[in-house]
Amino acid sequence: MRGNETRSRFVNRAAGRLWSGQGRLDLPDVINFRDLQPFWSEYRSEILSFLTQSNYTPAFITLVEHPKNYLATRPLARLSVQDRLIYEALAFEASEFIDPLLSKSVFNHRSESLSVHSSVDWKAMRIEARRVLARNKALVMAKTDIASFYEHIEIKALLMDLTAAGVPDSVATQIYSFLEGFESQCHTWGLPQGSAASGILANAYLLPVDNFIQQFGISFLRYSDDIYLFDSSEERLRSILQHVNRAFRARRLNMAANKTKIYARSEAESHLDDSRSDSIMYDLGLKKPSAVKALRLFFRDAVSENPANERNVKLSLPLLGRRGDDFAFSWATANLKEWHHLSPRILRYLESMRGKEGELQALLETLMENIPTVDYPLLERNIFETSIRCHIRSEVLRAWAWKIVRDRNRTSYPREFAARYIGLLGTSNDGQLLKMEYEGEHDIDVRRALLVAMYEAGYMPGGLLKRLSNHPTMLKWTARYLLRLQPPSKIPLPKF
């Protein structure tokens, strides 16, 4: 077992992701884990004591079906803070042995990165792909990725991969024990989605595939399971793809047929061409008068494509929002439901439109009244977060917030934000009702949110926080944090 000083460094790095907002990028914490920061030295000691256990398994896992598009979802694992810190600390420790073995062709999840998914690293891979093509005008390009990659990683094979990479047996065994516990507790398998730790371990799992591709003597680039291959012969690329698919199957993986393609030279250059967006970004930085018009056209073209160019929509909306430009306002209000998987980005744009607060409130009320929000949990959660951020006091939203808080069949994270909406923007009587809900609530995350909501509603029975300050769960830290707050201190809103 490695020393506490070494492990403390990895635990601190995992905690840094929480404080930076990266800890739950897709599922942000209702108060940014602010209740843990003041007590970090003490809490870290608890985490380090758990890391001495060779067979540690996660205590409780919630799977959240997070939308990828209008129809499809991916199962994000919502780990407790304790379990997340332990899992990521173990992965960071393993990464010191994995990283040196990675080819320079691999662009994701290096140990120094805090991000689950880094747009900087993704763009760096695309820039390098353009360089590869520019150096040899005879090359064509193939692109592929792996179907449901994390879910199909076999943890017994991963244990052997980690050992082969030089990861100490004690660390590899702890990672295996954690993942075995993960698989046994929920209806999924492989690696938990939504954590940088899984990206680090996935790199170890693909090391044999990377080495196999290198044996063909061709240029290749990889970001997670997205792979670019380059060769002068389209027929040879086809043959290499078939060999790579066999290598995948040996790892219990499958090539995603609908995302596998060989591009002709001009198609490859067009696929990788970011010159238009780069030019707009550059001109905006120089504050050129023509840049805003170019940005508007860029957005218009993105939503006019069939299907719409989601990548360019995600790029252009924040740029329009930072300038208070309402060019995309009508599109955003009309498409928020259909594009609910991008609702955080769309709502941030709508929030930035000064003078349109009434239209935003009407939109949010209409959505809550007219769609089955239980089927749109991310949108539901984001509606309350936007309402809190914009201080939208609405009887319609308050009524829905109470309905959601009281529905214990709903996933917990919209209930947490609904509770906080009531605490901040409800009526003078809501504090007592929140206390009643707290007393009957069993989900620890919702109970924590209800505590915060009671405090913000101005109704916190004196002895409750003192009793909870010695509670064996995370509520201990929340209670201590609330006891330390001095008016007019504000509890932070979630980071985006």
Side-chain angles (χ1 to χ4, degrees):
M1 190 68 64
R2 305 181 87 187
N4 254 20
E5 185 177 338
T6 299
R7 294 215 129 162
S8 184
R9 175 164 57 92
F10 298 118
V11 173
N12 281 341
R13 189 184 300 171
R17 298 187 64 250
L18 294 184
W19 315 149
S20 71
Q22 289 286 343
R24 286 179 176 168
L25 189 65
D26 293 310
L27 301 174
D29 184 64
V30 73
I31 61 170
N32 290 332
F33 302 104
R34 186 59 63 88
D35 47 350
L36 290 178
Q37 286 180 274
F39 313 102
W40 174 239
S41 289
E42 188 178 350
Y43 188 46
R44 179 178 56 199
S45 297
E46 290 188 7
I47 299 299
L48 288 170
S49 70
F50 285 115
L51 278 167
T52 63
Q53 301 177 16
S54 61
N55 59 347
Y56 181 88
T57 57
F60 181 75
I61 298 162
T62 302
L63 283 184
V64 176
E65 294 296 335
H66 199 273
K68 295 172 66 175
N69 54 41
Y70 182 63
L71 294 175
T73 64
R74 60 190 177 105
L76 290 187
R78 194 177 189 196
L79 306 174
S80 70
V81 179
Q82 173 182 302
D83 291 339
R84 182 170 290 275
L85 289 171
I86 288 169
Y87 180 46
E88 293 189 353
L90 288 169
F92 284 137
E93 192 166 358
S95 71
E96 296 212 329
F97 300 89
I98 298 167
D99 276 10
L101 302 179
L102 294 175
S103 162
K104 291 181 180 179
S105 299
V106 177
F107 284 78
N108 68 297
H109 293 108
R110 302 290 181 163
S111 60
E112 67 272 10
S113 174
L114 288 176
S115 297
V116 178
H117 299 295
S118 167
S119 59
V120 173
D121 293 340
W122 168 254
K123 188 167 185 177
M125 181 181 77
R126 291 172 63 86
I127 290 171
E128 181 58 28
R130 293 200 296 269
R131 287 176 182 156
V132 170
L133 290 173
R135 286 194 294 265
N136 186 342
K137 298 297 184 182
L139 292 180
V140 291
M141 183 183 86
K143 179 180 180 293
T144 189
D145 74 3
I146 300 167
S148 303
F149 177 36
Y150 282 12
E151 294 176 74
H152 287 93
I153 288 178
E154 191 176 77
I155 62 171
K156 287 184 179 179
L158 175 63
L159 174 62
M160 292 188 288
D161 294 335
L162 294 174
T163 302
V167 176
D169 288 344
S170 58
V171 178
T173 300
Q174 283 181 296
I175 291 171
Y176 177 76
S177 176
F178 187 98
L179 294 174
E180 191 176 42
F182 166 72
E183 287 192 336
S184 69
Q185 287 192 48
C186 52
H187 51 279
T188 190
W189 51 92
L191 301 181
Q193 295 193 50
S195 170
S198 295
I200 290 167
L201 300 178
N203 270 342
Y205 198 74
L206 286 183
L207 269 172
V209 177
D210 292 342
N211 293 335
F212 179 76
I213 294 173
Q214 286 174 312
Q215 291 175 8
F216 289 97
I218 64 170
S219 295
F220 87 99
L221 304 170
R222 178 170 71 78
Y223 181 98
S224 189
D225 60 325
D226 291 323
I227 302 173
Y228 294 157
L229 306 169
F230 304 87
D231 194 77
S232 57
S233 166
E234 181 175 327
E235 187 61 37
R236 187 161 186 264
L237 272 183
R238 179 179 175 278
S239 174
I240 291 171
L241 280 171
Q242 290 179 340
H243 285 294
V244 170
N245 198 25
R246 285 194 285 272
F248 284 159
R249 286 202 296 269
R251 307 251 80 198
R252 305 295 189 268
L253 304 172
N254 286 294
M255 188 177 286
N258 63 324
K259 295 183 179 179
T260 300
K261 180 177 180 180
I262 296 177
Y263 293 87
R265 174 77 191 199
S266 60
E267 287 182 311
E269 291 172 338
S270 176
H271 177 75
L272 297 168
D273 184 13
D274 292 326
S275 60
R276 186 179 178 191
S277 58
D278 290 344
S279 175
I280 291 170
M281 295 284 285
Y282 180 76
D283 288 348
L284 286 171
L286 294 178
K287 299 183 178 179
K288 288 187 176 182
S290 60
V292 173
K293 182 180 179 181
L295 175 60
R296 288 179 169 190
L297 291 173
F298 185 67
F299 173 80
R300 187 199 63 188
D301 292 346
V303 297
S304 298
E305 289 184 32
N306 188 19
N309 189 321
E310 186 172 306
R311 179 169 172 265
N312 289 348
V313 171
K314 289 194 290 186
L315 175 66
S316 52
L317 268 183
L319 294 173
L320 289 167
R322 282 198 286 272
R323 284 153 184 80
D325 189 328
D326 67 357
F327 182 77
F329 189 86
S330 296
W331 178 90
T333 55
N335 289 277
L336 182 56
K337 177 190 171 185
E338 184 175 349
W339 288 63
H340 66 112
H341 58 296
L342 293 186
S343 56
R345 199 175 298 262
I346 295 173
L347 284 167
R348 292 303 172 274
Y349 168 75
L350 293 173
E351 287 174 31
S352 67
M353 297 299 107
R354 297 292 173 257
K356 294 183 178 288
E357 292 82 2
E359 293 173 71
L360 176 59
Q361 178 174 333
L363 169 67
L364 301 184
E365 290 174 346
T366 299
L367 285 169
M368 294 302 293
E369 292 274 60
N370 295 311
I371 67 170
T373 51
V374 69
D375 295 326
Y376 295 81
L378 176 69
L379 177 57
E380 188 175 74
R381 184 201 72 81
N382 290 328
I383 286 172
F384 286 114
E385 185 181 345
T386 287
S387 301
I388 292 168
R389 197 185 304 277
C390 295
H391 210 77
I392 297 173
R393 198 180 296 272
S394 159
E395 275 304 305
V396 172
L397 295 177
R398 176 178 170 271
W400 272 100
W402 272 118
K403 180 178 179 179
I404 290 162
V405 164
R406 289 171 174 150
D407 184 356
R408 294 190 174 98
N409 291 320
R410 264 178 164 84
T411 187
S412 65
Y413 72 103
R415 298 179 64 216
E416 294 165 51
F417 284 82
R420 192 153 185 212
Y421 177 83
I422 295 167
L424 280 167
L425 297 168
T427 69
S428 58
N429 297 321
D430 281 332
Q432 295 146 304
L433 298 176
L434 287 164
K435 174 71 160 48
M436 289 172 56
E437 292 303 317
Y438 174 84
E439 290 168 349
E441 182 59 53
H442 299 292
D443 186 285
I444 191 71
D445 291 316
V446 178
R447 294 191 85 194
R448 176 170 166 258
L450 286 166
L451 271 183
V452 172
M454 277 189 280
Y455 181 91
E456 291 181 316
Y459 186 84
M460 183 59 71
L464 178 61
L465 292 181
K466 289 183 179 178
R467 288 194 299 273
L468 285 174
S469 64
N470 293 310
H471 202 269
T473 69
M474 188 176 174
L475 294 181
K476 167 174 64 178
W477 310 110
T478 309
R480 292 183 189 182
Y481 168 67
L482 294 176
L483 282 168
R484 285 176 50 149
L485 276 182
Q486 297 295 323
S489 298
K490 300 285 188 182
I491 301 173
L493 296 176
K495 287 183 178 179
F496 174 70

